[in-house]
Amino acid sequence: MKDKVLLFINGDAPKSLPQLDVYSFIACTDGAFHYLQELDFPMDSLDFISGDFDSHSGADENIYDDKFIYTPDQEKTDFHKALEIIAEKGFENIDVYGGSGGEQDHFLGNLTVAFLFKENLNITFYDKSSKYFFIPKTFLLTNVKGKLVSLYPFPQAENVVTKGLKWALNNENLNIISRIGTRNSAVEDNVYIEYGVGDLLVFVGKDCRGF
């Protein structure tokens, strides 16, 4: 766990903060800076704050100047640029808060950015209703019995096989414009998923046990 990075970006602020001591590196984009302040986040725990700083105001931010990494490239989002910094530092496992909510084009853009990095980074998004992430061609979800599980092709996934879901898939094809695999549920603690050509984004919803 200690090789994990915690990254906050500019979507909806989390309702509560995750446990910080399991992360070896913590960062945020400039758009997330203010909601962290409002949540009384321990700002000294941030290793860097990156972005073009078009979301900033307030003289109190000057005390964090040594943590700022200015990334003015308008061809990339602040999320994309933050991931580049994290990858350059040698980290691979990243938990992201603030990826959804707010303006929905940002949410879709965040998914696209995560897709671009999926071969090199293990990115898991968390929001108030679910966690979601891209999976490799074979994958095992654990401790998910009773939870909502959605499979979303990006944009397609062929020969999908699942074990442990209420509505099993048996060598079936999913496509973003014809058939998706959302709103399924886990009937076993462990859910096995495999597929051939394409990519799958998996959403795991919360239940009374949390994640």
Side-chain angles (χ1 to χ4, degrees):
M1 289 292 290
K2 271 295 188 179
D3 64 345
K4 270 196 172 185
V5 173
L6 175 60
L7 175 63
F8 296 95
I9 60 178
N10 191 25
D12 281 349
K15 297 298 183 183
S16 59
L17 294 172
Q19 184 178 347
L20 301 184
D21 60 6
V22 302
Y23 296 98
S24 57
F25 201 82
I26 302 174
C28 75
T29 61
D30 67 331
F33 183 91
H34 294 297
Y35 75 60
L36 289 179
Q37 286 185 312
E38 292 170 2
L39 290 171
D40 293 323
F41 183 84
M43 306 302 282
D44 288 344
S45 68
L46 289 172
D47 291 283
F48 75 77
I49 306 156
S50 67
D52 52 20
F53 301 107
D54 58 356
S55 303
H56 272 248
S57 61
D60 60 324
E61 296 168 9
N62 292 333
I63 64 173
Y64 303 107
D65 277 350
D66 61 330
K67 297 180 184 288
F68 288 165
I69 299 177
Y70 183 53
T71 55
D73 185 355
Q74 294 300 309
E75 297 300 316
K76 299 176 182 177
T77 66
D78 285 346
F79 178 40
H80 188 131
K81 291 178 283 189
L83 291 179
E84 288 182 329
I85 295 169
I86 291 167
E88 287 172 0
K89 294 182 179 295
F91 293 104
E92 296 180 357
N93 302 305
I94 306 166
D95 288 349
V96 177
Y97 286 75
S100 60
E103 297 174 349
Q104 292 307 301
D105 57 336
H106 283 173
F107 169 61
L108 295 174
N110 290 337
L111 294 181
T112 300
V113 169
F115 176 80
L116 295 175
F117 282 88
K118 68 181 178 63
E119 299 300 327
N120 300 313
L121 300 178
N122 302 313
I123 300 169
T124 301
F125 294 93
Y126 290 85
D127 63 23
K128 62 182 180 181
S129 61
S130 64
K131 63 179 179 180
Y132 47 101
F133 43 87
F134 287 97
I135 64 169
K137 297 299 192 264
T138 60
F139 194 78
L140 185 69
L141 297 173
T142 60
N143 191 33
V144 291
K145 187 174 182 178
K147 296 182 181 181
L148 179 74
V149 177
S150 291
L151 309 182
Y152 193 81
F154 206 87
Q156 65 184 24
E158 298 180 2
N159 307 119
V160 182
V161 175
T162 66
K163 297 177 183 178
L165 292 178
K166 183 176 182 179
W167 294 284
L169 297 177
N170 185 18
N171 207 38
E172 299 176 51
N173 296 335
L174 301 178
N175 191 295
I176 194 173
I177 62 173
S178 59
R179 184 191 183 194
I180 57 178
T182 57
R183 314 305 291 182
N184 211 327
S185 60
V187 294
E188 303 290 343
D189 272 342
N190 295 332
V191 170
Y192 175 77
I193 305 166
E194 69 174 53
Y195 63 100
V197 175
D199 290 283
L200 268 181
L201 180 66
V202 173
F203 292 77
V204 179
K206 292 181 180 179
D207 64 8
C208 61
R209 295 175 298 173
F211 285 133

